[in-house]
Amino acid sequence: MTGPAQPHPEWGEPRQSIVARVVAAVRTLVPGPARPPRQGLPDLPLRLARGELASEYLGAEREGDHRRAGATSSAAMDRAIEDGDWWEADVWAHRALWHFERAELTLQAVRLARRIGDIRWAGGDPSSARRYYAEAIDEARDIGAEHEQGLASLGLGRAMLDLGD
């Protein structure tokens, strides 16, 4: 990958408004019914739900085959990276990460966290990339994946340089 593109796209992680932050603070003070934790991923955006890889991915997801769903979404991520579509690559990478975590494929999950950092950096958002590189470094250290730890450290250093740190 070459230098980061400008400006970076919206990643689907909008900043909370002041109203949302106040409501969240009030909810911590007022007891209410506990919400059950979300069990799955949100629906695949319509723009991505077409094509051979999407069809194969949706089938694996429907069957609960996390290994196959992770591999298919990872392949879709690679295709989006080739096309330079950073938003699409980010969506697919997050899905692959989620499925690999559910399948307890730790090395693949570490690799995907690092790749999300690469995608965010290439998409022009080194600040967001930093978070994913740090996660990949920690997880790689925990499982003894020195190669992945080194690649994530390289990415973190590149992002820090871009941020002037």
Side-chain angles (χ1 to χ4, degrees):
M1 290 181 203
T2 60
Q6 294 297 331
H8 70 82
E10 292 296 323
W11 298 112
E13 298 174 3
R15 286 181 134 348
Q16 272 192 329
S17 70
I18 187 72
V19 173
R21 289 191 303 254
V22 169
V23 168
V26 169
R27 282 190 179 149
T28 63
L29 300 174
V30 179
R35 290 188 208 171
R38 185 173 178 92
Q39 296 298 316
L41 291 167
D43 290 337
L44 187 64
L46 288 178
R47 173 180 155 200
L48 305 182
R50 296 181 191 91
E52 179 185 329
L53 287 174
S55 176
E56 187 177 335
Y57 166 76
L58 291 170
E61 185 181 48
R62 207 173 13 263
E63 294 167 13
D65 186 348
H66 292 297
R67 183 181 296 263
R68 189 166 55 105
T72 305
S73 52
S74 183
M77 172 201 68
D78 288 335
R79 186 174 291 171
I81 288 171
E82 288 174 13
D83 295 341
D85 189 337
W86 306 120
W87 175 82
E88 183 176 328
D90 189 72
V91 170
W92 285 117
H94 276 87
R95 286 183 173 267
L97 175 63
W98 189 85
H99 287 291
F100 286 146
E101 287 174 344
R102 296 307 164 282
E104 297 181 0
L105 297 170
T106 310
L107 179 59
Q108 287 85 343
V110 167
R111 188 169 290 137
L112 260 294
R114 176 186 54 83
R115 301 276 318 266
I116 292 170
D118 292 343
I119 291 165
R120 295 279 174 106
W121 177 81
D125 191 2
S127 180
S128 177
R130 193 169 49 176
R131 172 179 147 218
Y132 290 95
Y133 288 133
E135 178 183 332
I137 290 167
D138 287 344
E139 294 294 323
R141 184 182 311 121
D142 289 348
I143 64 170
E146 293 174 355
H147 182 73
E148 282 301 320
Q149 185 179 354
L151 291 173
S153 295
L154 177 66
L156 178 62
R158 185 179 57 216
M160 299 296 281
L161 282 171
D162 286 352
L163 292 169
D165 291 339

